[in-house]
Short mmCIF file of all heavy atoms in Angstrom, two decimals:
data_model
loop_
_atom_site.label_atom_id
_atom_site.label_comp_id
_atom_site.label_asym_id
_atom_site.label_seq_id
_atom_site.Cartn_x
_atom_site.Cartn_y
_atom_site.Cartn_z
N MET A 1 0.47 1.43 12.07
CA MET A 1 -0.79 1.12 11.43
C MET A 1 -0.76 -0.35 11.00
O MET A 1 0.23 -0.82 10.45
CB MET A 1 -0.98 2.02 10.21
CG MET A 1 -2.03 1.51 9.23
SD MET A 1 -2.12 2.48 7.74
CE MET A 1 -3.52 3.45 8.11
N THR A 2 -1.85 -1.04 11.26
CA THR A 2 -1.96 -2.42 10.81
C THR A 2 -2.72 -2.48 9.49
O THR A 2 -3.37 -1.51 9.09
CB THR A 2 -2.73 -3.27 11.84
OG1 THR A 2 -4.09 -2.82 11.90
CG2 THR A 2 -2.08 -3.19 13.22
N GLU A 3 -2.66 -3.63 8.83
CA GLU A 3 -3.42 -3.80 7.59
C GLU A 3 -4.91 -3.65 7.86
O GLU A 3 -5.64 -3.05 7.05
CB GLU A 3 -3.13 -5.15 6.95
CG GLU A 3 -3.86 -5.33 5.65
CD GLU A 3 -3.58 -6.65 4.95
OE1 GLU A 3 -2.49 -7.22 5.15
OE2 GLU A 3 -4.46 -7.11 4.21
N GLN A 4 -5.38 -4.14 8.99
CA GLN A 4 -6.81 -4.03 9.33
C GLN A 4 -7.22 -2.56 9.48
O GLN A 4 -8.31 -2.17 9.04
CB GLN A 4 -7.14 -4.82 10.60
CG GLN A 4 -7.11 -6.32 10.42
CD GLN A 4 -8.00 -6.79 9.27
OE1 GLN A 4 -7.51 -7.17 8.22
NE2 GLN A 4 -9.29 -6.76 9.46
N GLU A 5 -6.37 -1.75 10.09
CA GLU A 5 -6.66 -0.32 10.23
C GLU A 5 -6.71 0.35 8.85
O GLU A 5 -7.58 1.18 8.58
CB GLU A 5 -5.61 0.35 11.11
CG GLU A 5 -5.71 -0.07 12.57
CD GLU A 5 -4.54 0.39 13.40
OE1 GLU A 5 -3.39 0.42 12.89
OE2 GLU A 5 -4.75 0.70 14.58
N ALA A 6 -5.78 -0.02 7.97
CA ALA A 6 -5.77 0.53 6.61
C ALA A 6 -7.03 0.12 5.86
O ALA A 6 -7.63 0.94 5.15
CB ALA A 6 -4.53 0.06 5.86
N ARG A 7 -7.45 -1.12 6.00
CA ARG A 7 -8.69 -1.59 5.35
C ARG A 7 -9.89 -0.78 5.84
O ARG A 7 -10.75 -0.40 5.05
CB ARG A 7 -8.92 -3.07 5.64
CG ARG A 7 -8.02 -3.99 4.85
CD ARG A 7 -8.25 -5.45 5.23
NE ARG A 7 -7.46 -6.34 4.41
CZ ARG A 7 -7.85 -6.84 3.25
NH1 ARG A 7 -9.04 -6.56 2.77
NH2 ARG A 7 -7.06 -7.63 2.56
N LYS A 8 -9.94 -0.50 7.13
CA LYS A 8 -11.05 0.26 7.70
C LYS A 8 -11.10 1.68 7.11
O LYS A 8 -12.17 2.18 6.77
CB LYS A 8 -10.94 0.30 9.22
CG LYS A 8 -12.11 0.94 9.90
CD LYS A 8 -12.00 0.84 11.41
CE LYS A 8 -13.21 1.47 12.06
NZ LYS A 8 -13.16 1.37 13.51
N ILE A 9 -9.92 2.32 6.98
CA ILE A 9 -9.86 3.65 6.38
C ILE A 9 -10.37 3.60 4.95
O ILE A 9 -11.20 4.42 4.54
CB ILE A 9 -8.42 4.21 6.42
CG1 ILE A 9 -8.01 4.54 7.86
CG2 ILE A 9 -8.28 5.44 5.51
CD1 ILE A 9 -6.54 4.86 8.04
N LEU A 10 -9.91 2.62 4.18
CA LEU A 10 -10.30 2.53 2.77
C LEU A 10 -11.78 2.20 2.61
O LEU A 10 -12.44 2.71 1.71
CB LEU A 10 -9.43 1.50 2.05
CG LEU A 10 -9.59 1.42 0.54
CD1 LEU A 10 -9.42 2.79 -0.11
CD2 LEU A 10 -8.59 0.43 -0.04
N GLN A 11 -12.32 1.39 3.50
CA GLN A 11 -13.74 1.04 3.41
C GLN A 11 -14.64 2.27 3.64
O GLN A 11 -15.74 2.34 3.11
CB GLN A 11 -14.09 -0.08 4.40
CG GLN A 11 -13.53 -1.41 3.96
CD GLN A 11 -13.60 -2.48 5.04
OE1 GLN A 11 -13.83 -2.19 6.20
NE2 GLN A 11 -13.35 -3.72 4.65
N GLY A 12 -14.17 3.24 4.40
CA GLY A 12 -14.95 4.44 4.65
C GLY A 12 -14.64 5.58 3.68
O GLY A 12 -15.29 6.62 3.70
N TYR A 13 -13.66 5.37 2.82
CA TYR A 13 -13.21 6.43 1.90
C TYR A 13 -14.14 6.54 0.70
O TYR A 13 -14.56 5.53 0.13
CB TYR A 13 -11.80 6.10 1.43
CG TYR A 13 -11.23 7.08 0.44
CD1 TYR A 13 -10.80 8.33 0.84
CD2 TYR A 13 -11.14 6.76 -0.91
CE1 TYR A 13 -10.26 9.24 -0.07
CE2 TYR A 13 -10.61 7.65 -1.82
CZ TYR A 13 -10.18 8.88 -1.40
OH TYR A 13 -9.67 9.78 -2.31
N GLN A 14 -14.47 7.77 0.31
CA GLN A 14 -15.29 8.00 -0.88
C GLN A 14 -14.72 9.17 -1.67
O GLN A 14 -14.12 10.08 -1.11
CB GLN A 14 -16.73 8.31 -0.49
CG GLN A 14 -17.43 7.12 0.13
CD GLN A 14 -18.93 7.25 0.04
OE1 GLN A 14 -19.48 8.34 0.02
NE2 GLN A 14 -19.61 6.13 -0.04
N GLU A 15 -14.93 9.11 -2.98
CA GLU A 15 -14.56 10.20 -3.87
C GLU A 15 -15.82 10.69 -4.56
O GLU A 15 -16.85 10.03 -4.53
CB GLU A 15 -13.56 9.71 -4.93
CG GLU A 15 -12.20 9.38 -4.35
CD GLU A 15 -11.17 9.06 -5.42
OE1 GLU A 15 -11.34 9.46 -6.58
OE2 GLU A 15 -10.18 8.42 -5.06
N ILE A 16 -15.71 11.86 -5.20
CA ILE A 16 -16.84 12.42 -5.93
C ILE A 16 -16.47 12.46 -7.41
O ILE A 16 -15.41 12.97 -7.78
CB ILE A 16 -17.19 13.83 -5.43
CG1 ILE A 16 -17.60 13.77 -3.96
CG2 ILE A 16 -18.28 14.46 -6.29
CD1 ILE A 16 -17.85 15.12 -3.33
N ASP A 17 -17.35 11.90 -8.25
CA ASP A 17 -17.16 11.91 -9.69
C ASP A 17 -17.29 13.35 -10.18
O ASP A 17 -18.31 14.01 -9.95
CB ASP A 17 -18.20 11.01 -10.36
CG ASP A 17 -18.00 10.90 -11.85
OD1 ASP A 17 -18.06 11.93 -12.54
OD2 ASP A 17 -17.80 9.76 -12.33
N ASP A 18 -16.26 13.85 -10.86
CA ASP A 18 -16.26 15.24 -11.34
C ASP A 18 -17.37 15.50 -12.36
O ASP A 18 -17.89 16.61 -12.44
CB ASP A 18 -14.91 15.58 -11.98
CG ASP A 18 -13.79 15.64 -10.96
OD1 ASP A 18 -14.07 15.89 -9.77
OD2 ASP A 18 -12.62 15.45 -11.35
N ASP A 19 -17.73 14.48 -13.13
CA ASP A 19 -18.74 14.66 -14.18
C ASP A 19 -20.17 14.62 -13.65
O ASP A 19 -21.02 15.39 -14.07
CB ASP A 19 -18.58 13.60 -15.28
CG ASP A 19 -17.25 13.74 -16.01
OD1 ASP A 19 -16.75 14.88 -16.13
OD2 ASP A 19 -16.71 12.71 -16.46
N THR A 20 -20.43 13.68 -12.73
CA THR A 20 -21.81 13.49 -12.28
C THR A 20 -22.08 14.04 -10.88
O THR A 20 -23.23 14.20 -10.49
CB THR A 20 -22.16 11.99 -12.26
OG1 THR A 20 -21.34 11.34 -11.27
CG2 THR A 20 -21.96 11.35 -13.62
N GLY A 21 -21.02 14.27 -10.10
CA GLY A 21 -21.19 14.72 -8.73
C GLY A 21 -21.55 13.60 -7.76
O GLY A 21 -21.75 13.84 -6.58
N GLU A 22 -21.63 12.36 -8.27
CA GLU A 22 -21.98 11.22 -7.41
C GLU A 22 -20.77 10.76 -6.60
O GLU A 22 -19.64 10.80 -7.07
CB GLU A 22 -22.48 10.06 -8.27
CG GLU A 22 -23.80 10.32 -8.93
CD GLU A 22 -24.29 9.11 -9.71
OE1 GLU A 22 -24.23 8.00 -9.17
OE2 GLU A 22 -24.73 9.30 -10.85
N LYS A 23 -21.05 10.28 -5.38
CA LYS A 23 -20.01 9.72 -4.53
C LYS A 23 -19.87 8.23 -4.83
O LYS A 23 -20.84 7.56 -5.15
CB LYS A 23 -20.37 9.88 -3.06
CG LYS A 23 -20.28 11.30 -2.56
CD LYS A 23 -20.54 11.36 -1.08
CE LYS A 23 -20.43 12.78 -0.58
NZ LYS A 23 -20.65 12.86 0.86
N TYR A 24 -18.64 7.75 -4.71
CA TYR A 24 -18.39 6.32 -4.87
C TYR A 24 -17.23 5.92 -3.97
O TYR A 24 -16.41 6.73 -3.56
CB TYR A 24 -18.10 5.96 -6.33
CG TYR A 24 -16.87 6.63 -6.89
CD1 TYR A 24 -15.62 6.01 -6.81
CD2 TYR A 24 -16.94 7.87 -7.51
CE1 TYR A 24 -14.48 6.62 -7.31
CE2 TYR A 24 -15.81 8.48 -8.01
CZ TYR A 24 -14.59 7.85 -7.92
OH TYR A 24 -13.47 8.47 -8.42
N GLY A 25 -17.19 4.64 -3.66
CA GLY A 25 -16.13 4.09 -2.84
C GLY A 25 -15.42 2.97 -3.58
O GLY A 25 -15.60 2.79 -4.78
N TYR A 26 -14.64 2.22 -2.84
CA TYR A 26 -13.85 1.14 -3.42
C TYR A 26 -14.11 -0.17 -2.69
O TYR A 26 -14.37 -0.17 -1.48
CB TYR A 26 -12.36 1.47 -3.33
CG TYR A 26 -11.97 2.64 -4.21
CD1 TYR A 26 -12.00 3.94 -3.72
CD2 TYR A 26 -11.60 2.43 -5.52
CE1 TYR A 26 -11.66 5.01 -4.52
CE2 TYR A 26 -11.25 3.50 -6.34
CZ TYR A 26 -11.28 4.79 -5.83
OH TYR A 26 -10.95 5.84 -6.63
N ILE A 27 -14.02 -1.26 -3.42
CA ILE A 27 -14.18 -2.60 -2.86
C ILE A 27 -12.81 -3.28 -2.95
O ILE A 27 -12.29 -3.50 -4.05
CB ILE A 27 -15.24 -3.41 -3.62
CG1 ILE A 27 -16.57 -2.67 -3.60
CG2 ILE A 27 -15.36 -4.82 -3.04
CD1 ILE A 27 -17.59 -3.20 -4.59
N ILE A 28 -12.23 -3.59 -1.81
CA ILE A 28 -10.90 -4.19 -1.77
C ILE A 28 -10.96 -5.61 -2.35
O ILE A 28 -11.78 -6.42 -1.94
CB ILE A 28 -10.36 -4.24 -0.33
CG1 ILE A 28 -10.21 -2.82 0.21
CG2 ILE A 28 -9.03 -5.00 -0.28
CD1 ILE A 28 -9.92 -2.75 1.71
N GLN A 29 -10.05 -5.88 -3.31
CA GLN A 29 -9.96 -7.20 -3.92
C GLN A 29 -8.77 -7.99 -3.37
O GLN A 29 -8.87 -9.20 -3.21
CB GLN A 29 -9.82 -7.07 -5.44
CG GLN A 29 -11.00 -6.37 -6.08
CD GLN A 29 -12.30 -7.10 -5.83
OE1 GLN A 29 -12.47 -8.24 -6.27
NE2 GLN A 29 -13.22 -6.47 -5.12
N GLU A 30 -7.66 -7.29 -3.11
CA GLU A 30 -6.49 -7.97 -2.53
C GLU A 30 -5.53 -6.95 -1.94
O GLU A 30 -5.51 -5.79 -2.35
CB GLU A 30 -5.77 -8.82 -3.58
CG GLU A 30 -5.07 -8.01 -4.65
CD GLU A 30 -4.27 -8.86 -5.62
OE1 GLU A 30 -3.56 -9.78 -5.17
OE2 GLU A 30 -4.36 -8.59 -6.82
N SER A 31 -4.75 -7.41 -0.99
CA SER A 31 -3.68 -6.60 -0.42
C SER A 31 -2.43 -6.86 -1.25
O SER A 31 -2.11 -8.00 -1.57
CB SER A 31 -3.44 -7.00 1.04
OG SER A 31 -2.33 -6.30 1.55
N CYS A 32 -1.73 -5.79 -1.60
CA CYS A 32 -0.53 -5.91 -2.44
C CYS A 32 0.75 -5.62 -1.66
O CYS A 32 1.81 -5.47 -2.25
CB CYS A 32 -0.65 -4.98 -3.64
SG CYS A 32 -2.02 -5.40 -4.72
N GLY A 33 0.63 -5.49 -0.34
CA GLY A 33 1.81 -5.29 0.48
C GLY A 33 1.90 -3.89 1.07
O GLY A 33 0.97 -3.11 1.03
N LYS A 34 3.09 -3.61 1.62
CA LYS A 34 3.32 -2.34 2.31
C LYS A 34 4.10 -1.37 1.43
O LYS A 34 4.82 -1.77 0.53
CB LYS A 34 4.11 -2.58 3.60
CG LYS A 34 3.29 -3.26 4.69
CD LYS A 34 4.02 -3.24 6.00
CE LYS A 34 3.87 -1.85 6.58
NZ LYS A 34 4.29 -1.72 7.96
N ASP A 35 3.94 -0.09 1.75
CA ASP A 35 4.72 0.99 1.15
C ASP A 35 5.12 1.90 2.30
O ASP A 35 4.34 2.77 2.70
CB ASP A 35 3.90 1.75 0.11
CG ASP A 35 4.64 2.93 -0.46
OD1 ASP A 35 5.86 2.83 -0.66
OD2 ASP A 35 4.00 3.98 -0.69
N GLY A 36 6.29 1.67 2.84
CA GLY A 36 6.70 2.42 4.04
C GLY A 36 5.76 2.08 5.18
O GLY A 36 5.61 0.93 5.57
N GLU A 37 5.06 3.09 5.71
CA GLU A 37 4.11 2.90 6.80
C GLU A 37 2.69 2.60 6.29
O GLU A 37 1.79 2.34 7.08
CB GLU A 37 4.08 4.14 7.69
CG GLU A 37 5.37 4.39 8.42
CD GLU A 37 5.71 3.29 9.41
OE1 GLU A 37 4.82 2.85 10.16
OE2 GLU A 37 6.88 2.84 9.40
N GLY A 38 2.48 2.66 4.98
CA GLY A 38 1.15 2.45 4.42
C GLY A 38 0.97 1.08 3.80
O GLY A 38 1.89 0.26 3.77
N TYR A 39 -0.22 0.85 3.30
CA TYR A 39 -0.56 -0.41 2.64
C TYR A 39 -1.15 -0.13 1.27
O TYR A 39 -1.83 0.88 1.06
CB TYR A 39 -1.58 -1.19 3.48
CG TYR A 39 -0.97 -1.79 4.71
CD1 TYR A 39 -0.88 -1.07 5.88
CD2 TYR A 39 -0.45 -3.08 4.69
CE1 TYR A 39 -0.30 -1.61 7.01
CE2 TYR A 39 0.13 -3.63 5.82
CZ TYR A 39 0.20 -2.90 6.98
OH TYR A 39 0.79 -3.43 8.09
N ILE A 40 -0.89 -1.04 0.33
CA ILE A 40 -1.37 -0.93 -1.04
C ILE A 40 -2.43 -2.01 -1.26
O ILE A 40 -2.23 -3.17 -0.92
CB ILE A 40 -0.23 -1.11 -2.06
CG1 ILE A 40 0.92 -0.16 -1.76
CG2 ILE A 40 -0.75 -0.97 -3.49
CD1 ILE A 40 0.59 1.30 -1.84
N PHE A 41 -3.55 -1.60 -1.85
CA PHE A 41 -4.65 -2.52 -2.14
C PHE A 41 -5.07 -2.40 -3.60
O PHE A 41 -5.11 -1.31 -4.15
CB PHE A 41 -5.87 -2.21 -1.26
CG PHE A 41 -5.62 -2.36 0.20
CD1 PHE A 41 -5.34 -1.25 0.98
CD2 PHE A 41 -5.65 -3.60 0.80
CE1 PHE A 41 -5.12 -1.36 2.34
CE2 PHE A 41 -5.42 -3.73 2.17
CZ PHE A 41 -5.15 -2.61 2.94
N ARG A 42 -5.40 -3.54 -4.21
CA ARG A 42 -6.03 -3.56 -5.53
C ARG A 42 -7.53 -3.57 -5.28
O ARG A 42 -8.03 -4.36 -4.48
CB ARG A 42 -5.60 -4.79 -6.31
CG ARG A 42 -6.09 -4.76 -7.75
CD ARG A 42 -5.40 -5.79 -8.62
NE ARG A 42 -3.95 -5.74 -8.60
CZ ARG A 42 -3.19 -4.89 -9.29
NH1 ARG A 42 -3.76 -3.98 -10.05
NH2 ARG A 42 -1.89 -4.94 -9.22
N CYS A 43 -8.25 -2.65 -5.92
CA CYS A 43 -9.66 -2.44 -5.62
C CYS A 43 -10.51 -2.34 -6.88
O CYS A 43 -10.00 -2.06 -7.96
CB CYS A 43 -9.83 -1.13 -4.85
SG CYS A 43 -8.90 -1.04 -3.32
N LYS A 44 -11.79 -2.52 -6.69
CA LYS A 44 -12.78 -2.21 -7.72
C LYS A 44 -13.51 -0.94 -7.28
O LYS A 44 -13.73 -0.74 -6.09
CB LYS A 44 -13.82 -3.32 -7.84
CG LYS A 44 -13.30 -4.59 -8.49
CD LYS A 44 -14.42 -5.59 -8.65
CE LYS A 44 -13.96 -6.82 -9.37
NZ LYS A 44 -15.04 -7.80 -9.55
N VAL A 45 -13.89 -0.13 -8.25
CA VAL A 45 -14.71 1.04 -7.96
C VAL A 45 -16.15 0.56 -7.84
O VAL A 45 -16.62 -0.23 -8.67
CB VAL A 45 -14.59 2.10 -9.08
CG1 VAL A 45 -15.52 3.26 -8.82
CG2 VAL A 45 -13.16 2.57 -9.21
N GLU A 46 -16.85 0.99 -6.79
CA GLU A 46 -18.25 0.58 -6.60
C GLU A 46 -19.07 0.96 -7.81
O GLU A 46 -18.96 2.08 -8.34
CB GLU A 46 -18.84 1.28 -5.38
CG GLU A 46 -18.28 0.80 -4.07
CD GLU A 46 -18.85 1.57 -2.88
OE1 GLU A 46 -19.42 2.66 -3.06
OE2 GLU A 46 -18.69 1.06 -1.76
N GLY A 47 -19.88 0.01 -8.30
CA GLY A 47 -20.79 0.28 -9.40
C GLY A 47 -20.19 0.19 -10.78
O GLY A 47 -20.87 0.44 -11.76
N VAL A 48 -18.91 -0.18 -10.89
CA VAL A 48 -18.26 -0.31 -12.20
C VAL A 48 -18.08 -1.78 -12.51
O VAL A 48 -17.59 -2.55 -11.69
CB VAL A 48 -16.89 0.42 -12.22
CG1 VAL A 48 -16.17 0.17 -13.53
CG2 VAL A 48 -17.07 1.89 -11.96
N ASP A 49 -18.49 -2.18 -13.72
CA ASP A 49 -18.28 -3.56 -14.18
C ASP A 49 -16.91 -3.65 -14.83
O ASP A 49 -16.54 -2.81 -15.65
CB ASP A 49 -19.36 -3.96 -15.19
CG ASP A 49 -20.73 -4.07 -14.55
OD1 ASP A 49 -20.80 -4.45 -13.36
OD2 ASP A 49 -21.72 -3.78 -15.23
N TYR A 50 -16.16 -4.67 -14.47
CA TYR A 50 -14.83 -4.88 -15.01
C TYR A 50 -14.80 -6.18 -15.80
O TYR A 50 -15.45 -7.15 -15.43
CB TYR A 50 -13.79 -4.98 -13.88
CG TYR A 50 -13.55 -3.68 -13.16
CD1 TYR A 50 -14.30 -3.32 -12.05
CD2 TYR A 50 -12.57 -2.81 -13.60
CE1 TYR A 50 -14.07 -2.12 -11.39
CE2 TYR A 50 -12.33 -1.61 -12.95
CZ TYR A 50 -13.08 -1.27 -11.85
OH TYR A 50 -12.86 -0.09 -11.20
N SER A 51 -14.02 -6.19 -16.88
CA SER A 51 -13.80 -7.45 -17.60
C SER A 51 -12.57 -8.10 -16.98
O SER A 51 -11.76 -7.42 -16.33
CB SER A 51 -13.60 -7.18 -19.09
OG SER A 51 -12.36 -6.57 -19.33
N PRO A 52 -12.41 -9.40 -17.18
CA PRO A 52 -11.27 -10.10 -16.55
C PRO A 52 -9.90 -9.52 -16.92
O PRO A 52 -8.97 -9.64 -16.15
CB PRO A 52 -11.41 -11.53 -17.07
CG PRO A 52 -12.87 -11.66 -17.40
CD PRO A 52 -13.30 -10.31 -17.87
N LYS A 53 -9.78 -8.88 -18.08
CA LYS A 53 -8.46 -8.38 -18.48
C LYS A 53 -8.20 -6.93 -18.04
O LYS A 53 -7.13 -6.41 -18.28
CB LYS A 53 -8.27 -8.52 -19.98
CG LYS A 53 -9.28 -7.79 -20.81
CD LYS A 53 -9.08 -8.08 -22.29
CE LYS A 53 -10.23 -7.49 -23.07
NZ LYS A 53 -10.14 -7.76 -24.47
N ASP A 54 -9.17 -6.30 -17.41
CA ASP A 54 -8.99 -4.93 -16.93
C ASP A 54 -7.99 -4.89 -15.77
O ASP A 54 -7.96 -5.79 -14.94
CB ASP A 54 -10.31 -4.33 -16.43
CG ASP A 54 -11.27 -3.98 -17.54
OD1 ASP A 54 -10.82 -3.80 -18.69
OD2 ASP A 54 -12.48 -3.91 -17.26
N ASN A 55 -7.17 -3.84 -15.75
CA ASN A 55 -6.29 -3.60 -14.61
C ASN A 55 -7.10 -2.86 -13.55
O ASN A 55 -7.60 -1.78 -13.81
CB ASN A 55 -5.09 -2.76 -15.02
CG ASN A 55 -4.07 -3.56 -15.79
OD1 ASN A 55 -3.88 -4.74 -15.54
ND2 ASN A 55 -3.42 -2.92 -16.73
N LEU A 56 -7.23 -3.45 -12.38
CA LEU A 56 -7.96 -2.80 -11.30
C LEU A 56 -7.09 -1.72 -10.66
O LEU A 56 -5.87 -1.85 -10.59
CB LEU A 56 -8.37 -3.83 -10.25
CG LEU A 56 -9.30 -4.95 -10.73
CD1 LEU A 56 -9.58 -5.91 -9.58
CD2 LEU A 56 -10.58 -4.40 -11.28
N PRO A 57 -7.73 -0.65 -10.18
CA PRO A 57 -6.97 0.44 -9.55
C PRO A 57 -6.19 -0.02 -8.31
O PRO A 57 -6.64 -0.89 -7.58
CB PRO A 57 -8.06 1.43 -9.14
CG PRO A 57 -9.27 1.07 -9.92
CD PRO A 57 -9.16 -0.39 -10.22
N LEU A 58 -5.04 0.60 -8.11
CA LEU A 58 -4.25 0.41 -6.90
C LEU A 58 -4.40 1.66 -6.04
O LEU A 58 -4.31 2.78 -6.55
CB LEU A 58 -2.76 0.23 -7.23
CG LEU A 58 -2.35 -1.07 -7.90
CD1 LEU A 58 -0.87 -1.00 -8.28
CD2 LEU A 58 -2.60 -2.24 -6.97
N LEU A 59 -4.65 1.45 -4.75
CA LEU A 59 -4.76 2.57 -3.82
C LEU A 59 -3.83 2.35 -2.65
O LEU A 59 -3.72 1.24 -2.13
CB LEU A 59 -6.20 2.71 -3.32
CG LEU A 59 -7.13 3.30 -4.36
CD1 LEU A 59 -8.02 2.22 -4.91
CD2 LEU A 59 -7.93 4.41 -3.79
N GLY A 60 -3.16 3.43 -2.24
CA GLY A 60 -2.31 3.41 -1.07
C GLY A 60 -3.02 4.08 0.09
O GLY A 60 -3.65 5.12 -0.09
N VAL A 61 -2.92 3.48 1.27
CA VAL A 61 -3.55 4.02 2.48
C VAL A 61 -2.46 4.22 3.53
O VAL A 61 -1.67 3.31 3.80
CB VAL A 61 -4.63 3.05 3.02
CG1 VAL A 61 -5.30 3.61 4.26
CG2 VAL A 61 -5.65 2.71 1.95
N TYR A 62 -2.43 5.43 4.11
CA TYR A 62 -1.35 5.80 5.03
C TYR A 62 -1.90 6.18 6.40
O TYR A 62 -3.07 6.53 6.54
CB TYR A 62 -0.53 6.92 4.40
CG TYR A 62 0.12 6.43 3.13
CD1 TYR A 62 -0.53 6.55 1.91
CD2 TYR A 62 1.32 5.75 3.18
CE1 TYR A 62 0.03 6.03 0.74
CE2 TYR A 62 1.89 5.22 2.02
CZ TYR A 62 1.23 5.37 0.81
OH TYR A 62 1.79 4.84 -0.32
N PRO A 63 -1.04 6.09 7.44
CA PRO A 63 -1.49 6.28 8.82
C PRO A 63 -2.23 7.59 9.11
O PRO A 63 -3.08 7.64 9.99
CB PRO A 63 -0.19 6.22 9.64
CG PRO A 63 0.74 5.41 8.82
CD PRO A 63 0.38 5.73 7.39
N ASP A 64 -1.95 8.65 8.37
CA ASP A 64 -2.63 9.92 8.62
C ASP A 64 -4.00 9.99 7.95
O ASP A 64 -4.66 11.01 7.97
CB ASP A 64 -1.76 11.10 8.17
CG ASP A 64 -1.54 11.13 6.67
OD1 ASP A 64 -1.96 10.21 5.94
OD2 ASP A 64 -0.90 12.12 6.21
N GLY A 65 -4.42 8.86 7.33
CA GLY A 65 -5.73 8.80 6.68
C GLY A 65 -5.69 9.14 5.19
O GLY A 65 -6.71 9.09 4.52
N THR A 66 -4.50 9.46 4.69
CA THR A 66 -4.36 9.78 3.27
C THR A 66 -4.59 8.52 2.43
O THR A 66 -4.07 7.46 2.73
CB THR A 66 -2.94 10.33 2.97
OG1 THR A 66 -2.75 11.50 3.74
CG2 THR A 66 -2.76 10.62 1.50
N VAL A 67 -5.39 8.68 1.35
CA VAL A 67 -5.61 7.62 0.39
C VAL A 67 -5.20 8.18 -0.97
O VAL A 67 -5.66 9.25 -1.36
CB VAL A 67 -7.10 7.18 0.34
CG1 VAL A 67 -7.33 6.14 -0.74
CG2 VAL A 67 -7.54 6.64 1.70
N ILE A 68 -4.30 7.46 -1.66
CA ILE A 68 -3.86 7.94 -2.97
C ILE A 68 -4.09 6.86 -4.03
O ILE A 68 -4.01 5.67 -3.75
CB ILE A 68 -2.38 8.39 -2.97
CG1 ILE A 68 -1.45 7.23 -2.62
CG2 ILE A 68 -2.17 9.56 -2.06
CD1 ILE A 68 0.01 7.53 -2.89
N ASN A 69 -4.38 7.32 -5.23
CA ASN A 69 -4.50 6.45 -6.39
C ASN A 69 -3.10 6.28 -6.96
O ASN A 69 -2.43 7.27 -7.24
CB ASN A 69 -5.42 7.13 -7.42
CG ASN A 69 -6.34 6.17 -8.08
OD1 ASN A 69 -6.05 5.00 -8.24
ND2 ASN A 69 -7.50 6.68 -8.46
N ILE A 70 -2.67 5.05 -7.14
CA ILE A 70 -1.32 4.78 -7.65
C ILE A 70 -1.41 4.46 -9.13
O ILE A 70 -2.11 3.51 -9.50
CB ILE A 70 -0.68 3.62 -6.87
CG1 ILE A 70 -0.58 4.00 -5.38
CG2 ILE A 70 0.69 3.26 -7.45
CD1 ILE A 70 -0.15 2.89 -4.47
N PRO A 71 -0.72 5.21 -9.98
CA PRO A 71 -0.77 4.94 -11.42
C PRO A 71 -0.25 3.54 -11.73
O PRO A 71 0.73 3.09 -11.13
CB PRO A 71 0.14 6.00 -12.03
CG PRO A 71 0.35 7.01 -10.97
CD PRO A 71 0.13 6.35 -9.66
N ILE A 72 -0.93 2.89 -12.67
CA ILE A 72 -0.51 1.52 -13.06
C ILE A 72 0.46 1.61 -14.21
O ILE A 72 0.34 2.36 -15.09
CB ILE A 72 -1.75 0.68 -13.44
CG1 ILE A 72 -2.65 0.55 -12.24
CG2 ILE A 72 -1.34 -0.68 -13.93
CD1 ILE A 72 -3.94 -0.17 -12.47
#
């Protein structure tokens, strides 16, 4: 898997908010390197305003299409 392939998977990935039932995706801010066969990205959640001191979520993307939220 290349970084470009991982970016494509993440760009199409969406989750559903448990409280509202709304779907949302992620906006990649930077690549943070590899994790085995996968890639780690720092992202913003679509529609969420962040302050400069907020820690942005880290997501891992793996060749089988798995996307995981990595605890900070």
Side-chain angles (χ1 to χ4, degrees):
M1 162 186 259
T2 66
E3 182 179 333
Q4 288 306 106
E5 291 169 325
R7 285 177 176 272
K8 186 175 181 179
I9 290 170
L10 188 53
Q11 288 168 346
Y13 178 75
Q14 293 201 331
E15 291 187 21
I16 298 175
D17 184 299
D18 291 335
D19 296 329
T20 65
E22 292 183 45
K23 288 184 179 181
Y24 62 90
Y26 292 90
I27 303 166
I28 298 170
Q29 300 300 297
E30 69 176 316
S31 175
C32 297
K34 288 191 78 169
D35 176 37
E37 295 296 315
Y39 287 87
I40 307 298
F41 298 99
R42 187 166 307 280
C43 303
K44 288 184 176 180
V45 176
E46 290 177 343
V48 175
D49 292 328
Y50 290 90
S51 71
K53 59 184 172 182
D54 287 338
N55 285 325
L56 299 178
L58 289 174
L59 285 106
V61 181
Y62 297 90
D64 65 355
T66 301
V67 176
I68 61 167
N69 221 330
I70 300 172
I72 298 177

